[in-house]
Amino acid sequence: MDTQLAKSYSPTESEQKWYVNWINENYFAPRDGAGVYSILMPPPNVTGILHFGHILNNTLQDLYIRRNRMKGASSVWFPGLDHAGIATQTKVEQDLRKEGKTRHDLGREEFLKRVWEWKDKYGGVILKQLRTLGASPDWDRTLFTMDESASNAVREVFIRLFDEDLIYRGKRIVNWSPLAQSAVSDEEVIFKEMKEYMYFLRYYIEGMDSYMVVATARPETLFGDVAVAVNPKDTRYTALIGKKVRVPLSDRMVPIIADDYADPEFGTGCVKITPAHDPNDYQVGLRHNLEAINTINPDATLNELAGDFKGLDRFEARKQMVELLKERLLIENIQDYTHNVGYSERGGEPIEPYLSDQWFVKMAPLAEPALKVVQDGEIKFYPEHWTKTYEHWMTNIRDWCISRQLWWGHRIPVYYADNGEFTAAHNEEEARKKLGLNENAVLKQDEDVLDTWFSSWLWPMTTMGWLADGKEEVTEELQKYLPTNLLVTGPDIIFFWVARMIMATLKFKQQIPFKDVYFTSTVRDGKGRKMSKSLGNSPDPLDVIAKYGADAVRFTMIYLAPLGQDVRMEVNEKDQDVPAMDLGRNFANKIWNAGRFLLMKRREAVSVDGETDLYETPLSKEQMTAADKWILSRFHSTIRDVDNALENYKVTEYSKLLYDFIWKDFCDWYLEIMKAQMNESGDIAYRQQLSRFALDIYDGILKLLHPVMPFITEELWHAVEDRDVNESISVSDAPEANEENIDRKVEENFENLQLIVDEIRRLRSSANIPPSEKLPVVMLGEDIDALNVLHFQKNTISSLGRCSTLEIGGKAERPVQALSSVVRGVEIFVSLAGKIDIEKERARLLKEVSRLENLIGSTEKKLSNEGFTSKAPEQVITAEREKLASMKDSLLKTQENLASLK
């Protein structure tokens, strides 16, 4: 009962203390309860470090897991880590290059040892960083995608799909990383706008002196040309269809074909077709049964088919070929050309469209049931509009390239015999049996590994022990927690991960993997740019947490992230400060100071006679003032509204409901009223009971806040009551709304009182009256019931409005020399007689009216100027419009004050 809080909240000290306590007491493990609730953590890359996208994503997950933990559900958040094939291998190969070595110098086995050593030393940093954020997954369940249990499942799934003829090997165009010399997924390709050139080349027509002009941005692929395509509706070239043209710098003749792919509006309408080096050309080649000629090596140098250019890097070859084309008068024109070029996310080099032998999964049979469960509403997307995107992709799905030319990852379980036959198997012995070979037959395992996504599409099952021993066993976790309740992820991987998890879980468990999918917002700076270290607009989140506190960062991120909209945060690029975080920090301080105030009032109430038994007696309904009934009603209606917001994933609404209720209603209004009530009463029992009542509300507030602000609420929860250090708010019961305590009429009446007091304060402020100066106030109106309610709250209005006298209705008269206003039919007069120089005040107001009118005029002129509105950024225009609206509002109030002084 003697607990005293420090004058200010120290986040660092509190966060370290309580997180250790949560871990030691195993609070993050699921407990027996009514119902179950589970979430899958999108496994961050083993190479990853925390960024603001992770902050938002994991705060959302933690909010929901903590909330349901407090609601009594058996709750578990499954954490994990992705082996990130190409990213991790790139890291280790970079280290090797510093030693002047390559992976081939070490050999596969030794190289993999180096990767595991790197992983053990540096991997998983991000999981430790998530602890700083306050994330509360059951860490004992952490799964690494290369763990034996997950690897067993990956191997088994490949074999089953292979045996069902759903996996096949074929030659296709893929995204190729020349640095890693491997296929990469679309997700690992970043597109950048590049300023290059379009080359207009002369393709001479066989048997004629004339030529066709063909536009290309990649002359280095000339030696792979197998045709020139024109649109069948393009009358300029109709007569040439079927003829042949000579490929520049070669003696090869290729046909002129008709295909809708050729766009008459682009370039000259003639397109060179190079099936081995362009995905669209590849499809044209399939339609016309054209040969695919690969002229580029895996390291992006030109091969022997390029003649004298053999061995040159693709871009150096481009330069030299352009010079030779100029010499031979084979270039008609060169124009500037801006287009998007794909770059490897890991290596940073331009991706090469590359024709190679790869392993693929047939997706159409898997996509059909996965589409249906979303369309039928078994799985719901938030925001809902992503459903259309999902439907479009699933109905136009392409086969999935799952092989990667790497060493780090799950090695493809395919074995080849000397005669060229092959099969998928768990080991060589099984492969020999499937191929009908004797036990001494020599087999060779495929050198490639599987796409990282091939392990993560099994995540809903492998996290719960599915096929951990390579056998189909229904684990307790699978029975209890699948399907999971919620997946929080970015919309950029809706195809790479979300769709594939749905397909895999339906295929192998005949269940959906999750019920709800929440797609997070993109975090951008104040200029609308996506936050990134390369732009210098993304400070280290750990530095931000150290400065503001984890709770402040968590709350601010939720507050700024409405469902379906991007998060905008100003970043001071000079010192990497994030001013928006002041919102969360100031809120935390407000909550802390409220706790200090309540503890002080409790000590005052109890210390009068040393008796504490009365303190434990609840305040009866008969003892409650209108303010007490109001705050009780507001508390329970807030619980109801908070529950409704979170059930519908309106997390920003949740944060704003709490912010408004706690800051405005509880702290700014009720605590001030409570202080007055305690000061006015000499009844010791009443003062103790009122203190108990206020602290009970405060205790409920801490519980409502805990899911988003876990550290400060734990600290205060222990401070306001004498609780054991091993107890935790995180497993206490969440407050529930009691409809009997909600009285809409009480809330409406008090809302009127708030508006009236706010208006009195505004009128005082407009005349520069200091807070210490009390003024006479008169209220008049025709609604007798409304005036009676105000009369009943006369003491509260007088105290909060700093009134020297307060007359309400009756025989009260309009005072002279007073500022006036009207709130919901009630006229308010704040008398200034004898307090200020009226004429001087009128002169000041007239000057202010003139100033505002001039500013409004210049702003309206600026916004009506097309030169400004057509060139200025949207955020600048929006800011000007908001400024104009604010000035007009200020002008109106100033004119009203001026009129009231006549």
Side-chain angles (χ1 to χ4, degrees):
M1 295 292 286
D2 295 322
T3 303
Q4 292 192 36
L5 290 173
K7 287 186 177 180
S8 59
Y9 174 54
S10 174
T12 303
E13 180 182 340
S14 177
E15 290 164 10
Q16 293 173 346
K17 173 180 68 178
W18 290 117
Y19 202 89
V20 170
N21 178 265
W22 294 333
I23 293 294
N24 290 342
E25 296 300 321
N26 204 26
Y27 285 131
F28 301 161
R31 301 181 170 210
D32 292 336
V36 297
Y37 191 88
S38 58
I39 297 178
L40 295 171
M41 177 186 289
N45 286 350
V46 67
T47 61
I49 57 174
L50 202 66
H51 58 62
F52 277 99
H54 293 129
I55 294 283
L56 176 59
N57 185 298
N58 285 278
T59 297
L60 285 164
Q61 294 176 78
D62 198 45
L63 189 162
Y64 277 93
I65 206 71
R66 285 181 181 273
R67 173 178 180 257
N68 282 280
R69 191 179 286 140
M70 294 177 73
K71 282 187 168 290
S74 177
S75 304
V76 58
W77 181 8
F78 292 92
L81 199 60
D82 191 285
H83 65 279
I86 193 168
T88 307
Q89 179 157 320
T90 298
K91 289 277 188 184
V92 178
E93 290 195 275
Q94 287 172 348
D95 290 343
L96 283 176
R97 280 197 290 274
K98 295 174 185 177
E99 302 173 19
K101 298 178 182 178
T102 70
R103 58 176 161 139
H104 301 286
D105 294 324
L106 273 65
R108 188 170 194 138
E109 186 175 340
E110 285 301 314
F111 176 76
L112 290 177
K113 284 183 181 178
R114 289 284 286 264
V115 181
W116 278 106
E117 288 171 3
W118 185 95
K119 183 263 178 187
D120 291 340
K121 187 174 182 179
Y122 301 108
V125 168
I126 190 170
L127 295 185
K128 297 174 183 176
Q129 293 174 327
L130 287 176
R131 296 171 183 240
T132 306
L133 182 66
S136 63
D138 186 357
W139 292 114
D140 291 339
R141 297 175 183 270
T142 303
L143 179 72
F144 181 47
T145 52
M146 288 289 286
D147 285 346
E148 184 179 0
S149 63
S151 299
N152 287 338
V154 168
R155 188 181 305 111
E156 178 67 23
V157 164
F158 184 98
I159 294 167
R160 291 187 188 183
L161 293 175
F162 179 92
D163 290 343
E164 290 183 44
D165 198 30
L166 289 174
I167 282 183
Y168 66 93
R169 188 168 177 81
K171 194 178 285 288
R172 297 284 189 279
I173 287 277
V174 295
N175 296 314
W176 186 264
S177 165
L179 188 61
Q181 294 193 31
S182 171
V184 296
S185 72
D186 291 343
E187 192 266 344
E188 293 165 316
V189 178
I190 299 173
F191 285 92
K192 301 178 183 179
E193 188 174 87
M194 302 297 294
K195 292 182 178 180
E196 296 186 320
Y197 299 101
M198 182 65 74
Y199 302 91
F200 293 79
L201 308 182
R202 295 171 176 174
Y203 282 62
Y204 278 88
I205 303 167
E206 184 179 29
M208 300 172 65
D209 291 333
S210 57
Y211 53 81
M212 302 179 76
V213 178
V214 178
T216 180
R218 303 189 67 210
E220 66 272 18
T221 63
L222 279 174
F223 297 104
D225 287 2
V226 295
V228 170
V230 298
N231 194 288
K233 297 176 183 177
D234 193 339
T235 56
R236 293 175 293 174
Y237 305 112
T238 304
L240 295 177
I241 296 172
K243 294 184 182 296
K244 291 186 176 182
V245 291
R246 185 183 304 279
V247 177
L249 303 183
S250 79
D251 293 328
R252 285 193 308 112
M253 306 298 294
V254 298
I256 301 170
I257 62 173
D259 195 280
D260 288 334
Y261 170 62
D263 182 359
E265 302 298 323
F266 182 78
T268 63
C270 305
V271 184
K272 73 187 202 70
I273 303 301
T274 316
H277 300 296
D278 184 278
N280 294 312
D281 291 6
Y282 180 76
Q283 295 300 320
V284 175
L286 291 178
R287 288 196 289 272
H288 294 269
N289 196 28
L290 299 172
E291 181 184 8
I293 302 174
N294 189 350
T295 64
I296 297 181
N297 294 313
D299 63 354
T301 59
L302 272 61
N303 65 24
E304 64 281 355
L305 296 179
D308 294 340
F309 301 99
K310 174 187 176 183
L312 290 179
D313 173 77
R314 52 186 164 161
F315 299 118
E316 178 58 32
R318 179 187 298 179
K319 292 179 184 177
Q320 294 190 22
M321 289 172 71
V322 167
E323 290 305 313
L324 187 57
L325 287 164
K326 287 179 180 178
E327 289 178 18
R328 298 187 180 181
L329 303 179
L330 294 173
I331 293 185
E332 181 89 358
N333 187 19
I334 299 176
Q335 295 179 4
D336 291 338
Y337 180 52
T338 301
H339 64 141
N340 287 325
V341 177
Y343 281 74
S344 168
E345 182 183 23
R346 306 304 172 190
E349 81 281 17
I351 287 295
E352 183 66 33
Y354 191 69
L355 182 66
S356 62
D357 286 314
Q358 302 288 345
W359 287 97
F360 294 86
V361 177
K362 294 178 183 177
M363 300 301 279
L366 302 174
E368 186 176 346
L371 175 59
K372 187 175 187 300
V373 293
V374 173
Q375 290 177 327
D376 291 349
E378 289 186 60
I379 297 175
K380 294 180 179 179
F381 289 169
Y382 297 85
E384 190 179 358
H385 68 76
W386 287 111
T387 302
K388 290 295 182 184
T389 305
Y390 178 84
E391 289 174 348
H392 175 76
W393 188 75
M394 296 294 275
T395 52
N396 295 277
I397 198 166
R398 294 182 180 181
D399 289 351
W400 173 18
C401 175
I402 57 171
S403 48
R404 299 290 181 265
Q405 289 64 53
L406 305 172
W407 286 354
W408 172 244
H410 298 101
R411 193 167 176 181
I412 290 177
V414 169
Y415 296 87
Y416 299 86
D418 289 340
N419 62 6
E421 292 184 349
F422 57 87
T423 191
H426 295 87
N427 49 53
E428 289 191 16
E429 181 182 358
E430 183 184 357
R432 291 189 185 97
K433 289 180 180 178
K434 292 177 77 172
L435 291 171
L437 301 174
N438 65 56
E439 61 183 17
N440 296 318
V442 176
L443 297 178
K444 182 180 180 182
Q445 187 174 354
D446 198 295
E447 293 289 334
D448 290 351
V449 300
L450 289 162
D451 178 14
T452 300
W453 295 106
F454 196 87
S455 55
S456 54
W457 80 323
L458 306 178
W459 196 242
M461 299 177 288
T462 52
T463 49
M464 301 183 197
W466 181 70
L467 292 178
D469 299 320
K471 299 176 183 178
E472 187 76 49
E473 293 183 7
V474 179
T475 65
E476 181 182 349
E477 287 85 356
L478 284 167
Q479 282 185 315
K480 193 171 185 178
Y481 297 112
L482 190 72
T484 57
N485 297 79
L486 176 64
L487 176 73
V488 181
T489 188
D492 54 327
I493 55 173
I494 186 172
F495 314 128
F496 302 106
W497 194 45
V498 178
R500 289 171 182 165
M501 282 193 289
I502 297 173
M503 287 187 263
T505 314
L506 285 171
K507 170 68 177 174
F508 296 105
K509 287 299 297 176
Q510 295 77 51
Q511 285 181 273
I512 56 173
F514 29 71
K515 299 172 185 175
D516 295 336
V517 183
Y518 184 108
F519 291 110
T520 56
S521 311
T522 299
V523 183
R524 301 185 183 277
D525 66 10
K527 299 176 182 176
R529 302 174 301 175
K530 186 175 181 180
M531 280 194 169
S532 70
K533 290 189 176 180
S534 61
L535 288 175
N537 66 346
S538 182
D540 187 335
L542 293 179
D543 291 341
V544 178
I545 288 173
K547 181 174 182 178
Y548 294 94
D551 289 326
V553 172
R554 288 166 62 112
F555 186 84
T556 303
M557 292 299 292
I558 294 296
Y559 193 93
L560 297 177
L563 180 65
Q565 297 180 37
D566 288 350
V567 181
R568 289 289 186 101
M569 290 196 303
E570 292 283 352
V571 177
N572 187 326
E573 295 183 20
K574 184 177 180 180
D575 60 10
Q576 294 291 282
D577 190 32
V578 185
M581 294 301 164
D582 283 331
L583 182 146
R585 179 166 59 184
N586 293 342
F587 188 43
N589 288 335
K590 189 79 171 179
I591 298 161
W592 185 265
N593 289 333
R596 291 184 68 240
F597 173 81
L598 287 169
L599 288 175
M600 178 185 70
K601 287 301 172 185
R602 181 176 70 183
R603 285 193 296 273
E604 289 177 4
V606 173
S607 64
V608 173
D609 59 4
E611 295 293 332
T612 61
D613 56 333
L614 294 174
Y615 169 75
E616 301 300 331
T617 305
L619 197 66
S620 68
K621 286 279 188 181
E622 292 72 24
Q623 290 175 295
M624 289 185 188
T625 65
D628 299 329
K629 292 176 182 177
W630 166 74
I631 198 65
L632 183 64
S633 180
R634 285 289 300 119
F635 174 60
H636 283 273
S637 59
T638 298
I639 298 172
R640 179 197 60 200
D641 294 344
V642 158
D643 284 343
N644 182 62
L646 290 178
E647 286 297 325
N648 292 283
Y649 299 105
K650 296 178 179 179
V651 293
T652 296
E653 184 176 318
Y654 153 78
S655 65
K656 290 182 177 179
L657 283 166
L658 289 181
Y659 187 89
D660 290 344
F661 170 68
I662 296 167
W663 191 298
K664 180 184 176 184
D665 292 342
F666 187 74
C667 295
D668 286 355
W669 287 91
Y670 183 69
L671 293 188
E672 287 298 314
I673 296 170
M674 172 201 168
K675 179 168 64 175
Q677 290 179 174
M678 292 189 78
N679 290 341
E680 292 166 3
S681 175
D683 187 335
I684 296 173
Y686 169 74
R687 291 169 65 180
Q688 290 189 14
Q689 289 169 301
L690 181 60
S691 173
R692 172 76 272 168
F693 172 79
L695 275 165
D696 284 344
I697 298 287
Y698 186 70
D699 186 83
I701 284 172
L702 296 178
K703 290 181 178 181
L704 286 177
L705 266 176
H706 178 75
V708 69
M709 301 181 80
F711 293 112
I712 191 172
T713 51
E714 186 77 86
E715 184 79 23
L716 289 167
W717 189 74
H718 280 267
V720 296
E721 295 294 340
D722 186 17
R723 293 182 167 108
D724 190 276
V725 70
N726 294 326
E727 291 184 87
S728 176
I729 190 175
S730 66
V731 290
S732 65
D733 294 335
E736 295 184 5
N738 184 343
E739 291 293 332
E740 292 182 2
N741 289 326
I742 300 175
D743 189 326
R744 186 58 200 154
K745 188 63 178 176
V746 166
E747 291 190 36
E748 288 175 358
N749 288 340
F750 211 88
E751 185 179 314
N752 286 342
L753 179 148
Q754 288 176 302
L755 292 173
I756 286 168
V757 172
D758 279 340
E759 190 62 14
I760 293 172
R761 290 169 171 172
R762 187 192 70 78
L763 292 171
R764 289 172 54 93
S765 176
S766 70
N768 295 318
I769 303 297
S772 59
E773 185 82 37
K774 293 187 176 183
L775 299 177
V777 175
V778 173
M779 295 183 194
L780 303 173
E782 296 181 1
D783 188 333
I784 302 302
D785 290 337
L787 293 180
N788 286 338
V789 170
L790 294 176
H791 191 81
F792 188 67
Q793 293 292 325
K794 186 174 181 179
N795 289 343
T796 298
I797 297 171
S798 292
S799 175
L800 298 178
R802 307 296 295 159
C803 306
S804 58
T805 60
L806 175 59
E807 295 183 71
I808 302 174
K811 297 180 180 180
E813 297 180 356
R814 290 175 173 80
V816 295
Q817 297 186 341
L819 295 176
S820 66
S821 185
V822 179
V823 174
R824 293 186 176 177
V826 176
E827 290 185 278
I828 304 168
F829 300 91
V830 177
S831 177
L832 300 178
K835 300 297 181 181
I836 63 171
D837 186 324
I838 298 299
E839 289 305 316
K840 187 176 180 181
E841 178 64 12
R842 289 189 76 251
R844 185 187 73 81
L845 293 175
L846 282 168
K847 185 176 179 181
E848 179 66 6
V849 167
S850 178
R851 185 185 74 86
L852 288 170
E853 286 177 339
N854 288 333
L855 285 173
I856 289 170
S858 62
T859 305
E860 286 179 333
K861 185 177 180 181
K862 181 189 289 187
L863 288 170
S864 64
N865 184 346
E866 289 188 13
F868 170 73
T869 55
S870 62
K871 295 178 181 179
E874 183 60 35
Q875 61 264 30
V876 173
I877 297 172
T878 300
E880 286 294 317
R881 287 174 178 156
E882 290 174 352
K883 185 169 70 174
L884 178 62
S886 176
M887 289 188 295
K888 286 183 175 179
D889 183 59
S890 296
L891 176 62
L892 179 63
K893 286 183 168 60
T894 304
Q895 290 171 330
E896 289 173 351
N897 288 343
L898 182 60
S900 68
L901 288 177
K902 289 181 181 178

